[in-house]
Amino acid sequence: MAGFGPGNPELLTLKALSALQQADAVFYDNLLDASYLDNYKAEKVYVGKRRGNHAYSQAEINNMLLEAALEGKNVLRLKGGDPLIFGRGIEEYNFLAERNVEVELVPGISSAMAAAADALVSLTARGVSSSLAFVSGHDLDKLIIPRADTLVVYMGASNQKPLAKIMIEQGWDEATPLVVVRNASYKDAETRRYTLRSIQESMNLLPSPAIMIIGWTAAETSQQLIKPAV
Amino acid sequence: MAGFGPGNPELLTLKALSALQQADAVFYDNLLDASYLDNYKAEKVYVGKRRGNHAYSQAEINNMLLEAALEGKNVLRLKGGDPLIFGRGIEEYNFLAERNVEVELVPGISSAMAAAADALVSLTARGVSSSLAFVSGHDLDKLIIPRADTLVVYMGASNQKPLAKIMIEQGWDEATPLVVVRNASYKDAETRRYTLRSIQESMNLLPSPAIMIIGWTAAETSQQLIKPAV
């Protein structure tokens, strides 16, 4: 089981690439650049949840992985981002390990790192941000927002405005800067900057898939960058 | 500027590898497997902070990078982990960008992901952990601990016991499980499990470099793993 990273195949690790080259079967989900897999000989099975008609339940995915492994195939489960952050990699891992299937976990670049690099925003920064939290923004009813200096929101594209409102209600400064990155790691990545206040009135939001990076580090960096050259 | 990842060269990204192959000069820091760089023709300059006699200040590193770039060299700044998490990558980035040096940021696998994979602990897990925070544990006086479901502590090896004590004082359940991973991503990676209570009496701590993963996800996973096979 390997993380593919945020989407751009250049962010695949050498270890994941090696697994891909050796695989007999690849079960993959929402990698936007899935045509990349055509370079490899393995049988490909799409088991993601975004394209509608091919949606499998988690139990079905587990069983498909198990069956392929029991057939003696070298199976690669390729997950977007990192398998252990906001995926359900551990459920698949546990299901297989409990059935005595040997599984190796290969980390991947998570979207937060790619979004930070695209937005030129450091996730931690000396004197500005010494803690960093990741949450999922797709279900605001269940969301508990940690008080970290920098907050990264995965899967929050449809909740950008209500999320900012909740954060202000919970005591975050309404002038707190934030940056939203769509298609992190891709050549067509887009970045927009707001504050917790301004995003609530914006007519110009980015649609999914988007990552939000919220905190003063988002502004500090840009202020430093517009300093005149020495 | 590229992240090398947690140490094992197999976790280098394809993009970082390509930068390494094309570089005239590589400025690198604490990559434990630095002999890996011998495979590449670039001039290598160690600018890390752990080996004592070769310690450079941040200003000196900035200037060395600038000078090499102004000489027209293709310069790779290779940082352990990810350049934008608990490194000072953004300071180097800003210094160079303000001086009109073209810099590209390439994300890397951060130690948390590698430690999680080694410990078989998911950083988030459905029903157990929906938020994840990263802090640096090297200066407890300045530490503010976010209330995330899972807390990952970087650079906390020398503060394992006092950190657990502080967390209990701040209201964390003393039965909260935690796992410490030394040499994450390496073949000789070591993993030890405790609770916030038990680590305070342990005679068996791992020395630096170690990552701590604290939260119920650390236990849930291991409990599932010891279920009998079906």
Side-chain angles (χ1 to χ4, degrees):
Chain A
M1 180 179 301
F4 186 84
N8 185 328
E10 292 188 325
L11 295 182
L12 202 63
T13 64
L14 303 183
K15 197 165 186 178
L17 175 65
S18 166
L20 188 49
Q21 287 164 338
Q22 293 166 44
D24 302 312
V26 178
F27 293 78
Y28 69 100
D29 43 32
N30 303 299
L31 320 167
L32 301 190
D33 198 353
S35 64
Y36 173 77
L37 300 180
D38 294 342
N39 300 322
Y40 301 92
K41 64 171 172 47
E43 172 194 357
K44 287 101 187 168
V45 186
Y46 174 73
V47 293
K49 289 171 184 123
R50 277 195 205 142
R51 293 181 206 170
N53 25 358
H54 293 287
Y56 294 105
S57 71
Q58 189 63 53
E60 285 170 328
I61 296 171
N62 290 349
N63 281 317
M64 288 162 75
L65 293 171
L66 179 63
E67 274 173 34
L70 293 180
E71 285 168 13
K73 287 179 183 163
N74 204 340
V75 179
L76 172 62
R77 176 65 172 109
L78 200 50
K79 294 183 81 74
D82 180 88
L84 301 178
I85 298 184
F86 298 125
R88 287 167 68 174
I90 202 67
E91 296 179 41
E92 295 169 12
Y93 178 91
N94 288 342
F95 180 88
L96 296 168
E98 286 161 10
R99 285 156 185 80
N100 299 315
V101 175
E102 196 183 321
V103 194
E104 187 179 11
L105 282 169
V106 181
I109 303 280
S110 196
S111 307
M113 287 75 173
D118 285 336
L120 307 179
V121 165
S122 196
L123 292 170
T124 64
R126 203 165 48 115
V128 182
S129 169
S130 59
S131 60
L132 165 65
F134 297 171
V135 297
S136 158
H138 81 282
D139 186 353
L140 296 188
D141 289 342
K142 290 186 185 162
L143 180 62
I144 295 168
I145 302 172
R147 286 307 304 238
D149 294 326
T150 306
L151 182 73
V152 177
V153 183
Y154 287 64
M155 296 168 281
S158 58
N159 284 329
Q160 292 173 65
K161 287 170 190 272
L163 181 74
K165 184 162 178 282
I166 290 171
M167 290 180 71
I168 292 171
E169 286 166 2
Q170 292 189 5
W172 291 65
D173 187 334
E174 62 178 13
T176 306
L178 70 99
V179 60
V180 182
V181 183
R182 173 175 156 81
N183 282 342
S185 86
Y186 284 90
K187 286 206 169 60
D188 65 350
E190 286 181 88
T191 293
R192 294 201 187 143
R193 289 176 185 278
Y194 312 88
T195 65
L196 286 179
R197 183 182 49 236
S198 75
I199 196 169
Q200 294 183 67
E201 274 96 53
S202 174
M203 303 292 282
N204 193 18
L205 297 185
L206 288 167
S208 183
I211 290 275
M212 303 171 76
I213 304 174
I214 307 170
W216 290 97
T217 183
E220 282 288 319
T221 306
S222 63
Q223 283 167 8
Q224 287 172 17
L225 285 175
I226 57 172
K227 272 189 198 165
V230 174
Chain B
M1 179 177 302
F4 186 84
N8 186 329
E10 291 187 325
L11 295 182
L12 202 63
T13 64
L14 302 183
K15 198 166 187 178
L17 176 65
S18 166
L20 188 51
Q21 288 164 337
Q22 294 167 42
D24 302 311
V26 178
F27 293 78
Y28 69 101
D29 43 33
N30 302 299
L31 322 166
L32 301 190
D33 199 352
S35 64
Y36 173 77
L37 299 181
D38 295 341
N39 300 322
Y40 301 92
K41 64 172 172 47
E43 172 194 357
K44 286 100 186 167
V45 185
Y46 174 72
V47 294
K49 290 174 183 116
R50 277 197 203 139
R51 294 180 204 171
N53 23 359
H54 293 287
Y56 295 103
S57 70
Q58 189 62 54
E60 285 170 326
I61 296 171
N62 291 349
N63 281 317
M64 289 162 75
L65 293 171
L66 179 62
E67 274 172 33
L70 293 180
E71 285 168 15
K73 287 178 182 162
N74 204 341
V75 179
L76 172 62
R77 176 67 171 109
L78 200 51
K79 295 182 80 76
D82 180 87
L84 302 178
I85 299 184
F86 298 125
R88 287 167 68 175
I90 202 67
E91 297 179 41
E92 295 169 12
Y93 178 90
N94 287 342
F95 180 88
L96 296 168
E98 286 162 10
R99 285 155 186 81
N100 300 315
V101 175
E102 196 184 320
V103 195
E104 187 179 12
L105 282 169
V106 181
I109 303 280
S110 196
S111 307
M113 288 74 173
D118 285 336
L120 307 179
V121 166
S122 196
L123 294 171
T124 64
R126 202 166 49 115
V128 181
S129 169
S130 59
S131 59
L132 166 64
F134 297 172
V135 298
S136 159
H138 80 284
D139 186 353
L140 294 188
D141 289 343
K142 291 187 187 162
L143 180 62
I144 295 168
I145 302 171
R147 286 306 305 239
D149 293 328
T150 305
L151 182 74
V152 177
V153 183
Y154 287 64
M155 296 169 280
S158 58
N159 285 329
Q160 292 172 66
K161 287 171 190 271
L163 181 74
K165 186 164 176 283
I166 290 170
M167 290 181 71
I168 292 172
E169 285 166 3
Q170 292 188 6
W172 290 66
D173 187 335
E174 62 178 15
T176 306
L178 71 98
V179 61
V180 182
V181 183
R182 174 175 156 81
N183 282 342
S185 85
Y186 285 90
K187 286 206 169 60
D188 66 350
E190 286 182 87
T191 292
R192 293 202 186 141
R193 289 176 186 276
Y194 312 89
T195 64
L196 285 178
R197 183 180 52 234
S198 76
I199 196 169
Q200 295 183 65
E201 274 95 54
S202 174
M203 303 292 282
N204 193 19
L205 297 185
L206 289 167
S208 183
I211 289 275
M212 302 171 77
I213 303 173
I214 307 169
W216 289 96
T217 181
E220 283 287 319
T221 307
S222 63
Q223 283 166 8
Q224 287 172 14
L225 285 175
I226 57 172
K227 272 188 197 165
V230 173

